[in-house]
Amino acid sequence: MSSEHEQQQSRPSSEQAEQPSKEPWAGLELSLPHGRSPTGIVSFIERVLVELTHEDIGAEFVSTNLAGVKRTQFIAVDHAGQRFQKRYFDERLGWHETTVSRGVVRDELVSRLSQLSLDRIDETPNTDPDTFHVKPVHQFRAPTS
C-alpha cells in the first residue's frame, strides 16, 4: 500500500510545474531546438491530440525565417478527433485551409518537432525560434476573407 504513495511522492515536481493553470493543456508548448527524445516527442504529440478533442483549443506551429512568418494551425472538427481543420499561413501566399486526418496531423507534428527547420540554417542569430503551443481557438489569428 505504501509503495503507491511513495511513487506519487517521488514524481518530479516538474510534472506539476508544467501546468501553471488548471487547464490540462496549459503547459503544452515547445520551442526548437529542444532536448526531447523521439519517444518523448511522440508522447507529447499524442497528449496534444487527446486535448484537442476535449476542449475548444487548437495547436499552432510558428516558424519565422528570412521569408517571413509561417503558421500552421490544427483544430479538431469532430468530437471523435479523427478530422482536423488545418490552416496554413505564409506571409507571401496568405491563408490556405483544408481538412486532414488525425494521422496526418500526428505525422506532421512529430516530423516538425523532431528536427530543426532547414529553412533556418543560414539565418542570423536574432531570428525567433520555431515554436509550438496549444491555446484556445479564439486566440488564433483567423483567416481573413
Side-chain angles (χ1 to χ4, degrees):
M1 288 191 302
S2 65
S3 65
E4 183 179 333
H5 179 67
E6 289 171 6
Q7 287 176 351
Q8 289 176 348
Q9 287 186 340
S10 68
R11 288 188 182 131
S13 60
S14 64
E15 286 182 27
Q16 296 167 349
E18 262 186 45
Q19 299 178 5
S21 76
K22 293 181 182 182
E23 305 297 343
W25 46 266
L28 295 175
E29 55 187 39
L30 199 58
S31 293
L32 277 79
H34 55 76
R36 292 188 184 232
S37 69
T39 304
I41 291 297
V42 171
S43 176
F44 176 78
I45 294 305
E46 288 298 334
R47 181 171 169 213
V48 167
L49 291 171
V50 167
E51 293 301 330
L52 291 180
T53 62
H54 294 311
E55 302 285 338
D56 192 21
I57 58 175
E60 181 177 57
F61 184 83
V62 180
S63 177
T64 306
N65 59 33
L66 293 175
V69 175
K70 296 179 182 178
R71 296 178 179 278
T72 306
Q73 302 170 348
F74 297 99
I75 301 165
V77 296
D78 64 13
H79 292 294
Q82 296 304 310
R83 293 183 315 137
F84 290 80
Q85 177 184 39
K86 177 182 177 181
R87 299 175 180 171
Y88 177 76
F89 174 78
D90 181 312
E91 286 185 343
R92 296 171 294 158
L93 304 173
W95 285 98
H96 173 73
E97 293 183 55
T98 188
T99 301
V100 296
S101 71
R102 179 186 189 98
V104 168
V105 175
R106 181 184 187 275
D107 292 347
E108 185 170 333
L109 290 176
V110 167
S111 176
R112 286 184 184 212
L113 296 178
S114 294
Q115 56 190 342
L116 293 174
S117 173
L118 297 176
D119 295 339
R120 303 175 67 91
I121 291 174
D122 296 326
E123 294 189 17
T124 62
N126 294 334
T127 304
D128 293 333
D130 289 352
T131 59
F132 174 83
H133 51 270
V134 173
K135 62 185 179 180
V137 172
H138 69 270
Q139 291 182 2
F140 282 149
R141 287 191 200 171
T144 55
S145 301

